[in-house]
Amino acid sequence: MDIKHLQYFIEVANFNSFTRAADHLFITQPTISKMIKNLETELGVELFDRSRKQLILTDAGRVVLDQAKLIDKAFHNLETEMDNLLGLKKGHIRIGLPPIIDASFFPRILSRFHQDYPNITFQLVEDGSKKIEESVQNDLIDIGVIVLPTNNALFHHFAFLEEDINLIVHPSHPHACGEEIDLADLENESFILFNKDYVLRDLIISSCNEAGFSPHIVTESSRWDFIEEMVYCKLGVALLPESLCRHDERVKTIRVRNPSISWHLGFIWSKDHYLSYAAKEWLKYTREALSHK
């Protein structure tokens, strides 16, 4: 038995299919079937019930799967430690980013880090804060940028940005002539919000409730630029972070008060999962860069 036997077994269990697991691993279906059969022979048990249309783990298969995942994780950590011994000459960092932040500063930090560590690669995953927290907790990504606060029992974190949330409207809108507006004055407006994966949506709804009304939501989106376009097309009004409101001069930006709304962004990483030296160096590098900024 070698680690590949266990890794292939994990993939088949995840997909409940030899064919789909083989496609995912870019190998042939007979190859992966033979590997699993060899593993069953070596262990002396059947790992899958093949008598049904859908592939199902046997009792023994479930036990082996739990242990195989632990072994695979330990092997991954061993590889990471070996990378660390090379003095950060190579490595891979998985970072989750919400697509609603101003992306202008982040690539600059990536570029400077890449100049210092050219053999460290990045996987950037765009998602809402809720999904990013789940991905960090499930060890699918190493570091995430989210809207704070977070669960301090599960994650380490540090904040790097606090920003006001402003109103954007079409220039012909009745409120467009003002520079500030009470949130309660938007009670009869149609709102364009981010979808339910985004903490900013919850923040806006709770702020509206605090102001004495529930917002009428005409539509939702995961893209801030599409939201701005819909505001320009007079579909409704929207509340966006101040940095995003500067991107489209076709809409009017108005400060919100009573209550004002702000968000706090921060980096999170798991307290329970191993964090590579490359990821630790990235956090250190980013914290210093943002503090200077």
Side-chain angles (χ1 to χ4, degrees):
M1 180 195 311
D2 62 32
I3 190 66
K4 286 295 182 185
H5 285 82
L6 296 178
Q7 290 171 337
Y8 287 2
F9 167 60
I10 291 170
E11 289 300 311
V12 174
N14 287 340
F15 285 99
N16 289 323
S17 166
F18 286 101
T19 302
R20 284 189 290 164
D23 290 342
H24 181 71
L25 293 166
F26 299 102
I27 60 175
T28 65
Q29 191 269 337
T31 298
I32 199 169
S33 296
K34 183 179 179 181
M35 293 281 278
I36 299 304
K37 193 62 180 176
N38 290 343
L39 182 61
E40 290 177 322
T41 300
E42 186 167 353
L43 294 174
V45 295
E46 288 189 354
L47 299 174
F48 294 99
D49 181 356
R50 298 171 173 82
S51 64
R52 310 183 191 184
K53 289 185 177 179
Q54 185 180 13
L55 203 62
I56 297 176
L57 284 167
T58 62
D59 291 342
R62 285 192 290 269
V63 172
V64 174
L65 179 62
D66 289 339
Q67 296 305 311
K69 288 180 177 179
L70 293 175
I71 294 170
D72 184 52
K73 184 176 180 180
F75 186 79
H76 173 73
N77 289 345
L78 176 61
E79 288 183 319
T80 305
E81 285 288 356
M82 294 302 100
D83 289 345
N84 296 336
L85 293 177
L86 296 175
L88 294 179
K89 291 182 180 178
K90 64 177 182 177
H92 185 69
I93 309 171
R94 304 165 298 172
I95 303 174
L97 295 171
I100 57 176
I101 66 172
D102 182 5
S104 61
F105 78 93
F106 208 79
R108 290 196 292 269
I109 299 175
L110 279 174
S111 177
R112 292 198 297 270
F113 186 84
H114 178 67
Q115 290 175 12
D116 291 342
Y117 304 103
N119 294 318
I120 292 179
T121 58
F122 293 90
Q123 175 189 354
L124 301 179
V125 178
E126 286 190 298
D127 227 326
S129 289
K130 296 177 184 178
K131 289 287 186 66
I132 288 174
E133 281 190 317
E134 290 178 10
S135 295
V136 172
Q137 187 177 359
N138 293 326
D139 199 26
L140 299 176
I141 57 178
D142 304 305
I143 302 164
V145 176
I146 67 159
V147 180
L148 298 174
T150 189
N151 188 333
N152 293 327
L154 297 176
F155 306 111
H156 297 290
H157 75 276
F158 72 85
F160 68 88
L161 176 67
E162 180 179 1
E163 192 174 34
D164 288 334
I165 306 299
N166 291 337
L167 174 72
I168 61 169
V169 299
H170 188 273
S172 66
H173 192 283
H175 292 312
C177 58
E179 297 299 322
E180 292 185 338
I181 191 169
D182 288 349
L183 188 58
D185 292 337
L186 303 177
E187 180 176 2
N188 296 319
E189 298 293 336
S190 295
F191 281 79
I192 305 168
L193 297 184
F194 288 99
N195 65 38
K196 295 180 180 179
D197 291 334
Y198 294 81
V199 171
L200 183 56
R201 179 185 188 274
D202 299 340
L203 178 61
I204 290 170
I205 291 175
S206 63
S207 297
C208 291
N209 292 340
E210 182 182 343
F213 70 97
S214 295
H216 169 63
I217 303 170
V218 64
T219 190
E220 299 175 350
S221 176
S222 62
R223 291 177 49 184
W224 62 265
D225 56 336
F226 192 47
I227 289 176
E228 286 188 338
E229 190 66 31
M230 287 190 284
V231 170
Y232 177 70
C233 292
K234 301 183 181 181
L235 192 62
V237 304
L239 292 162
L240 293 178
E242 182 179 1
S243 58
L244 297 184
C245 295
R246 307 188 195 110
H247 286 272
D248 195 337
E249 296 180 354
R250 299 176 303 163
V251 296
K252 175 67 186 299
T253 300
I254 304 167
R255 291 190 298 274
V256 176
R257 63 189 182 190
N258 298 328
S260 59
I261 311 173
S262 62
W263 73 345
H264 298 75
L265 292 181
F267 286 95
I268 64 166
W269 61 101
S270 174
K271 290 185 173 181
D272 296 328
H273 299 305
Y274 179 83
L275 195 65
S276 70
Y277 281 106
K280 290 176 183 176
E281 184 65 19
W282 160 254
L283 284 171
K284 177 184 175 183
Y285 194 98
T286 305
R287 190 196 293 258
E288 291 176 354
L290 291 172
S291 65
H292 292 322
K293 180 176 182 297

